[in-house]
Amino acid sequence: MKIIDGKAVSLKVKDELKEQTKRLAQEQGFVPCLAVIIVGEDPASQVYVSNKKKACEYIGYKSLGFELPESTTQQELLELIEKLNNDDTVDGILCQLPLPKHIDEETILNAIDYDKDVDAFHPTNVGKIMIGNYHMLPCTPAGVMELIDSTGVSLEGKNAVVIGRSNIVGKPMSMLLLHRNATVTICHSRTANLKEICANADILVAAVGKAGFVTEDMVKEGAIVIDVGINRNAQGKLCGDVDFERVKEKAGAITPVPGGCGPMTIAMLMKNTYNAAVHRRNVIDK
Ligand code: GUN
């Protein structure tokens, strides 16, 4: 059994981007610029946003932070997005979710210029992912693909099972696996025979949001198990959706929480920011 080291894989992606960014600065005279917006004071969101800014610093991107009060109106937020859409020096715009209840998330996500939508949440980018012609990667699913690829296992013809059907993870995850010729099953809270379906998976991706949801009897011997969950257990400790200690004895490869998918999501956001910059600025990337 192999424990997949998300920190190491993400560092490799970030180091490659660092090199590419150095080259952009030397040869093209600019570095990518990411604008990050946070509304309100959700502590988890503040940690995520701070990690995103740190990643920008590490790679050498410019980052702009907008920390808006909880009382910000939808109109004010839309005006800021419009300003950033029209700012030619800004390559990527990220509005951290969740937003306060008085702001409609869909309206905000639709307002971001889809060429700057580094989360790939805009319907145009979602559609492109469905078709298979995209340069904005859905960050968490794209990170999962990198982790699977780090095992060296081919996806062609394999049974891949995704537990969870969210717009952010489950649905785009299934598309990326499908584009790589896996046979994909999406399971959710109404799925009958969940255990049997999962136990037939060569690749099992858990994105449920429930600690200890995936037990060893749901896992095929030698399967690749990717845990996208971020939960707190009864002791308040950070854990995923998979019963890691037991499942690791059966899996061929498995991601831990923390240190698995989490670092990859940010690395993929950084990759999108780079891709958005070279795409927008018509750079022929070598
Ligand atoms: N909140 C939790 N995950 C994400 C994410 O990937 N992007 C944004 N914008 N907000 C989030």
Side-chain angles (χ1 to χ4, degrees):
M1 183 271 315
K2 175 185 185 321
I3 294 180
I4 301 170
D5 185 347
K7 259 195 181 156
V9 180
S10 74
L11 192 61
K12 190 161 164 260
V13 173
K14 285 192 287 186
D15 281 341
E16 279 166 14
L17 289 170
K18 196 173 182 168
E19 281 307 306
Q20 286 173 283
T21 301
K22 221 184 275 170
R23 233 185 306 144
L24 264 192
Q26 283 163 0
E27 293 170 12
Q28 308 286 339
F30 76 92
V31 296
C33 171
L34 175 65
V36 180
I37 307 169
I38 179 169
V39 185
E41 291 180 357
D42 178 62
S45 291
Q46 284 173 328
V47 173
Y48 293 141
V49 164
S50 138
N51 288 340
K52 289 169 185 176
K53 283 190 203 149
K54 273 187 214 150
C56 284
E57 258 169 55
Y58 179 81
I59 294 169
Y61 296 166
K62 196 173 159 197
S63 80
L64 305 174
F66 297 88
E67 282 138 39
L68 308 181
E70 179 86 18
S71 59
T72 303
T73 64
Q74 178 162 308
Q75 191 52 35
E76 285 167 335
L77 183 54
L78 285 171
E79 280 164 18
L80 171 61
I81 289 170
E82 194 54 25
K83 199 177 96 195
L84 296 170
N85 281 345
N86 293 326
D87 184 339
D88 242 3
T89 65
V90 172
D91 297 297
I93 304 170
L94 179 144
C95 185
Q96 187 66 25
L97 304 178
L99 287 166
K101 285 191 190 63
H102 64 276
I103 299 178
D104 181 51
E105 235 162 63
E106 198 178 339
T107 304
I108 298 303
L109 297 180
N110 288 1
I112 295 173
D113 176 349
Y114 66 80
D115 276 335
K116 299 188 179 188
D117 167 39
V118 284
D119 268 320
F121 289 166
H122 189 285
T124 297
N125 288 325
V126 174
K128 283 170 174 278
I129 291 157
M130 186 96 179
I131 293 165
N133 169 21
Y134 52 93
H135 66 273
M136 292 298 193
L137 309 161
C139 298
T140 300
V144 170
M145 297 305 285
E146 294 272 341
L147 293 176
I148 295 171
D149 286 341
S150 78
T151 67
V153 166
S154 158
L155 285 166
E156 182 106 6
K158 299 279 168 61
N159 286 333
V161 173
V162 180
I163 322 176
R165 56 175 157 177
S166 70
N167 290 333
I168 295 184
V169 184
K171 287 184 205 167
M173 184 76 248
S174 321
M175 281 302 128
L176 299 197
L177 290 162
L178 185 63
H179 293 328
R180 296 282 293 279
N181 297 324
T183 301
V184 184
T185 308
I186 309 174
C187 297
H188 47 80
S189 54
R190 315 284 167 85
T191 298
N193 307 323
L194 178 71
K195 188 177 123 186
E196 288 75 10
I197 296 168
C198 292
N200 196 31
D202 302 302
I203 293 110
L204 182 61
V205 181
V208 189
K210 284 188 187 148
F213 186 85
V214 175
T215 47
E216 69 203 296
D217 54 336
M218 293 164 74
V219 175
K220 180 173 165 178
E221 192 82 41
I224 296 177
V225 180
I226 308 285
D227 191 348
V228 182
I230 303 175
N231 314 295
R232 300 249 170 216
N233 67 11
Q235 290 77 44
K237 202 174 144 234
L238 209 61
C239 63
D241 292 340
V242 177
D243 182 352
F244 182 80
E245 286 308 319
R246 287 169 183 268
V247 171
K248 79 174 170 29
E249 303 303 328
K250 208 166 172 189
I254 185 168
T255 61
V257 177
C261 294
M264 286 311 294
T265 297
I266 294 189
M268 292 298 116
L269 173 71
M270 295 297 116
K271 200 164 187 171
N272 278 345
T273 304
Y274 184 89
N275 289 344
V278 297
H279 184 260
R280 279 187 64 248
R281 301 183 196 230
N282 293 317
V283 173
I284 311 294
D285 201 19
K286 288 170 272 182

